[in-house]
């Protein structure tokens, strides 16, 4: 799981394969949306999901959704999503490039990067760090790349940290599996895989939604963006720690059934059989309370 997530994260950092990952996110999410809502047969919920997640009303009508082939319906939705995203990227470039050029002309080399808030109206704005020189040299093409990198990195990191907390909770809860005559290690692996599938879907949905719904806010004074190195020390868990936790979860699951019986420790001196009885009768212990 860690290798898969950090591969996505490294792709976002370098930007080399980010376009491929985003393309797969868009394709995978649109396929899931059509299949899920078509199985339920509810066109209204499909339209609402498109407007909420994809930021658009689908051109697919009721007849096509209900009677058309699922592959054709998916293809129509994907074409609309990619066309909308292309137009959105162009609109952002047209709006932002003149603003960046003006900063370069009026401020000279005072700023290397500028911070531009990017928000979809539902969450705290995400500051996009745009390189001024690269934006001008690429005629604005690097602006969308900067947005995609910042959005993808932010949502991957946030979702991954939540996933690690869920995995810790799973390690604790799986200990009860032995009481149901089940192998706790098997339960752990199965449920961990399900959690990971949910994580990937969540990342795909949130990245796609923010990119398609988000808008740049360029009003107000110019703010310089400083590149910060993200502290990932709290996000990482070593492979040996993971393996040890799995073994511990499996071994501890049955410990409550195999606990060692507690022994009674005597705190008072033992009375001999021929000694006077402690009750004060005057008889020997063996003839009194020692019978």
């Amino acid at each position: 799981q860690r290798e898969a997530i950090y591969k996505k994260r490294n792709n976002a950092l370098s930007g080399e394969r980010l376009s491929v990952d985003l393309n797969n996110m868009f394709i995978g999410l649109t396929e899931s949306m059509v299949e899920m809502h078509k199985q339920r047969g509810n066109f209204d919920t499909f339209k609402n999901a498109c407007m909420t997640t994809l930021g658009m009303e689908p051109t697919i009508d009721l007849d096509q959704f209900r009677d058309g082939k699922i592959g054709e319906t998916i293809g129509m939705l994907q074409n609309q999503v990619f066309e909308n995203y292309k137009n959105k990227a162009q609109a952002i470039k047209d709006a932002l490039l003149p603003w960046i050029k003006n900063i370069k002309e009026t401020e000279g080399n005072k700023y290397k990067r500028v911070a531009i808030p990017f928000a979809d109206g539902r969450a705290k704005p995400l500051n996009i760090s745009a390189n001024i020189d690269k934006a001008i040299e690429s005629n604005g093409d690097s602006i969308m790349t900067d947005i995609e990198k910042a959005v993808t990195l932010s949502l991957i990191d946030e979702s991954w940290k939540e996933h690690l907390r869920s995995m810790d909770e799973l390690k604790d809860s799986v200990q009860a599996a032995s009481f149901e005559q089940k192998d706790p290690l098997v339960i752990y692996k199965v449920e961990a895989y399900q959690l990971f599938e949910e994580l990937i879907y969540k990342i795909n949905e949130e990245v796609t939604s923010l990119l398609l719904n988000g808008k740049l806010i360029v009003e107000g004074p110019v703010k310089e963006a400083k590149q910060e190195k993200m502290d990932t020390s709290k996000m990482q868990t070593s492979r040996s720690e993971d393996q040890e936790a799995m073994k511990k979860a499996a071994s501890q699951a049955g410990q409550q059934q195999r606990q060692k019986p507690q022994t009674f420790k005597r705190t008072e001196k033992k009375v001999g059989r021929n000694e006077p009885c402690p009750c004060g009768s005057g008889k020997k212990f063996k003839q009194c309370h020692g019978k």
Side-chain angles (χ1 to χ4, degrees):
Q1 292 183 13
R2 185 172 52 254
E3 289 174 358
I5 289 297
Y6 274 81
K7 182 178 180 181
K8 287 180 176 291
R9 194 177 190 280
N10 290 335
N11 289 345
L13 278 171
S14 64
E16 294 179 0
R17 287 185 53 84
L18 180 57
S19 60
V20 177
D21 286 347
L22 291 176
N23 186 73
N24 292 335
M25 288 183 187
F26 288 7
I27 291 176
L29 183 61
T30 49
E31 285 180 353
S32 298
M33 289 177 63
V34 172
E35 291 172 353
M36 179 175 63
H37 291 283
K38 194 171 178 63
Q39 288 175 358
R40 296 175 181 176
N42 194 327
F43 181 64
D44 290 334
T45 58
F46 170 69
K47 286 180 61 177
N48 291 336
C50 288
M51 289 187 286
T52 302
T53 304
L54 306 178
M56 66 180 197
E57 184 174 353
T59 56
I60 300 167
D61 57 23
L62 175 60
D63 292 336
Q64 172 64 37
F65 177 81
R66 183 178 56 194
D67 303 324
K69 294 182 179 179
I70 190 169
E72 294 178 354
T73 305
I74 292 173
M76 292 175 63
L77 182 61
Q78 289 175 349
N79 290 337
Q80 185 181 357
V81 167
F82 283 117
E83 185 65 23
N84 280 14
Y85 190 63
K86 179 181 177 182
N87 294 336
K88 182 185 183 73
Q90 185 63 44
I92 288 176
K93 182 173 74 172
D94 293 343
L96 200 56
L97 185 58
W99 182 72
I100 290 179
K101 287 182 176 179
N102 182 62
I103 294 174
K104 183 69 174 179
E105 293 172 0
T106 57
E107 303 291 344
N109 294 321
K110 182 178 179 180
Y111 301 115
K112 295 295 183 182
R113 308 178 73 91
V114 288
I116 310 162
F118 186 78
D120 61 357
R122 294 176 296 173
K124 182 179 179 181
L126 178 67
N127 281 329
I128 306 300
S129 175
N131 187 294
I132 294 176
D133 292 334
K134 285 185 178 180
I136 296 174
E137 292 170 3
S138 66
N139 196 32
D141 290 341
S142 67
I143 297 174
M144 202 63 199
T145 301
D146 288 333
I147 293 173
E148 292 171 344
K149 290 172 66 175
V151 168
T152 306
L153 281 172
S154 175
L155 294 178
I156 285 178
D157 291 345
E158 181 180 344
S159 299
W160 177 242
K161 286 186 286 187
E162 291 179 3
H163 178 69
L164 290 181
R165 286 193 288 269
S166 298
M167 292 292 287
D168 287 337
E169 293 174 0
L170 176 61
K171 291 171 186 175
D172 294 335
S173 63
V174 77
Q175 295 180 16
S178 63
F179 295 110
E180 301 175 6
Q181 302 300 316
K182 296 179 181 178
D183 186 342
L185 190 56
V186 173
I187 299 297
Y188 180 84
K189 289 181 177 180
V190 171
E191 298 205 10
Y193 179 76
Q194 292 175 348
L195 285 175
F196 186 67
E197 283 192 322
E198 293 173 4
L199 168 68
I200 296 300
Y201 185 86
K202 179 184 178 183
I203 291 175
N204 293 348
E205 182 180 39
E206 292 188 350
V207 170
T208 300
S209 180
L210 184 52
L211 287 175
L212 291 173
N213 286 286
K215 296 180 180 180
L216 288 172
I217 305 172
V218 295
E219 299 176 356
V222 178
K223 293 184 179 180
E224 184 178 11
K226 298 180 181 180
Q227 289 182 298
E228 298 180 357
K229 293 183 179 180
M230 179 163 292
D231 180 14
T232 59
S233 61
K234 295 182 180 180
M235 297 168 50
Q236 298 180 10
T237 55
S238 68
R239 188 177 305 277
S240 60
E241 289 176 343
D242 288 346
Q243 292 175 344
E244 183 63 27
M246 291 171 65
K247 292 178 182 178
K248 184 178 179 181
S251 62
Q252 290 183 349
Q255 281 185 357
Q256 296 182 15
Q257 292 181 333
R258 303 189 303 269
Q259 289 181 348
K260 184 179 179 180
Q262 294 183 345
T263 57
F264 175 78
K265 185 177 181 181
R266 182 182 298 275
T267 58
E268 299 178 355
K269 182 180 178 181
K270 185 178 180 180
V271 181
R273 288 178 57 79
N274 291 318
E275 293 181 2
C277 185
C279 71
S281 64
K283 298 180 180 180
K284 293 183 178 180
F285 181 67
K286 65 180 180 181
Q287 297 172 341
C288 189
H289 286 81
K291 292 182 179 180

